[in-house]
Amino acid sequence: MEFGILFTSHPNPAEEPYPHRAVHARTTDEVIEAERLGYDTAWIAEHHFATSYGIMPDCFAYMAYLAAKTSRIKIGAAVITLPLYDPIRVVENTSFVDILSDGRVRLGVGSGYRPYEFEGLGRDFDNRRDIVEESIGLMFDAWHRHRWDHKGKYYKGTVKEPYEMLPHPVQMPHPPLYMAGGTDRSIGYSGRNGFGLMLSTLPSVETLAAQTALYKRELATASAERRKNPAAGEIDIARWVYIADTDAQARAETEEAIVRHISHFGGSGTGGYLGSVSEKGAAIKYDDLASTLLHGSAETVIACLREMQARTGMTSLLLHYPPYYGREKTMKSIRLFAERVIPAFRPPARRAAAE
């Protein structure tokens, strides 16, 4: 199993007061520490306009910056909100950052779930899934054929000889591509088109097992071209993670902050896949989150993670955490996870290489 960390560039007002510029230096420090500790991927989440959520308007600019700050860790977008982009610019920018990082880029795409982001950029929220599906076809044309003649409902454009899509990425025909899913439509589409699947922090293990089963069935129907995606068949599941010496200590150090943070997803600012799959209702309590959290001692978390892996076939865990624990506790938790949990899921040779 691989292990990545999902960074939302979400400010902690107690340490990063408004207008929260300091969040980016802190997030960068966490990425650099993740590389040192042997994590596989640093995943960057795009978000716009919120004063109480993530501040990351341009994943490509930040991934290029991180490429120069790191040497081994893979750098992924998890995810860019595809309806807010021109799909050809996504292809160009992904390929360019793949070159700058010497082939370390991973790209996750999604339809988006925060209406205010679409309103702020003047984009169509209601038809976002249709827009994604048209975008994907155009992106595959650009990566596989380097030319296109597209006249669709949402996009049009032509590139013919002697012109072509440049630059070509290091990872051919394209970097690993993932799709965030939370509905049967998006999960089925992801499988049929050979994407790796990214699943939310919020659903129960039972829901995740049903979602991954659907994905695997649909993946079996993907065309040979779509299965050239290096991420085809990969299942990345995000989970809230916190490691302490005991389960009681983990609860004491996180209860107020994690409940406050997860309650945010049931608010009016979210809709669509994240806003509709929390299964927790509005009045969330810590005890309601047993199927969502990987909090506790290393032994507790290893056992829960093994069960999740067996039931879902997951190939990667994306560690996630709110900013409200504070810098010291956050850094301690990701260090303890690397030291006490990751070795249980890696063969000895790979553990030695990471160390």
Side-chain angles (χ1 to χ4, degrees), residues 214-249:
L214 170 62
Y215 168 72
K216 292 171 188 176
R217 290 195 300 271
E218 295 299 320
L219 180 65
T221 71
S223 68
E225 179 179 278
R226 294 291 192 265
R227 290 185 70 91
K228 290 180 181 178
N229 178 9
E234 294 188 7
I235 298 172
D236 292 17
I237 297 178
R239 270 305 187 251
W240 308 102
V241 175
Y242 190 86
I243 304 297
D245 290 332
T246 67
D247 295 355
Q249 181 185 353

Side-chain angles (χ1 to χ4, degrees), residues 142-329:
W143 264 317
H144 283 278
R145 284 165 278 285
H146 311 300
R147 297 182 176 90
W148 56 92
D149 186 10
H150 182 84
K151 295 179 177 62
K153 182 176 180 180
Y154 301 102
Y155 301 103
K156 62 180 180 180
T158 301
V159 170
K160 297 180 179 179
E161 290 189 17
Y163 307 107
E164 65 175 292
M165 195 287 292
L166 291 169
H168 294 184
V170 173
Q171 302 176 90
M172 294 290 285
H174 50 70
L177 303 178
Y178 300 79
M179 180 171 285
T183 65
D184 286 354
R185 174 177 174 174
S186 60
I187 292 168
Y189 183 88
S190 175
R192 289 190 300 277
N193 287 275
F195 281 87
L197 179 63
M198 307 187 86
L199 294 174
S200 164
T201 54
L202 299 174
S204 66
V205 175
E206 290 75 17
T207 297
L208 293 173
Q211 291 174 333
T212 56
L214 170 62
Y215 168 72
K216 292 171 188 176
R217 290 195 300 271
E218 295 299 320
L219 180 65
T221 71
S223 68
E225 179 179 278
R226 294 291 192 265
R227 290 185 70 91
K228 290 180 181 178
N229 178 9
E234 294 188 7
I235 298 172
D236 292 17
I237 297 178
R239 270 305 187 251
W240 308 102
V241 175
Y242 190 86
I243 304 297
D245 290 332
T246 67
D247 295 355
Q249 181 185 353
R251 178 169 185 159
E253 292 179 353
T254 66
E255 182 169 1
E256 184 278 330
I258 193 66
V259 169
R260 170 160 57 106
H261 188 70
I262 293 180
S263 296
H264 167 82
F265 290 100
S268 60
T270 63
Y273 104 88
L274 272 179
S276 64
V277 299
S278 69
E279 307 168 357
K280 311 301 178 197
I284 297 172
K285 297 180 180 178
Y286 191 90
D287 290 332
D288 298 329
L289 301 174
S291 64
T292 291
L293 302 180
L294 289 177
H295 280 201
S297 68
E299 294 75 18
T300 295
V301 170
I302 288 169
C304 292
L305 189 52
R306 287 198 190 284
E307 179 187 4
M308 191 185 311
Q309 184 182 33
R311 296 183 66 178
T312 65
M314 63 189 295
T315 58
S316 178
L317 175 72
L318 277 61
L319 287 77
H320 197 28
Y321 43 82
Y324 309 120
Y325 302 153
R327 184 186 184 98
E328 182 178 346
K329 288 194 292 185

Side-chain angles (χ1 to χ4, degrees), residues 111-148:
S111 59
Y113 66 97
R114 292 176 176 263
Y116 61 82
E117 296 183 331
F118 286 72
E119 292 167 5
L121 292 167
R123 301 300 177 93
D124 182 351
F125 183 77
D126 292 337
N127 293 306
R128 65 196 185 280
R129 293 187 177 91
D130 294 334
I131 295 169
V132 165
E133 292 177 7
E134 183 177 327
S135 297
I136 293 301
L138 184 50
M139 290 167 64
F140 277 126
D141 276 347
W143 264 317
H144 283 278
R145 284 165 278 285
H146 311 300
R147 297 182 176 90
W148 56 92

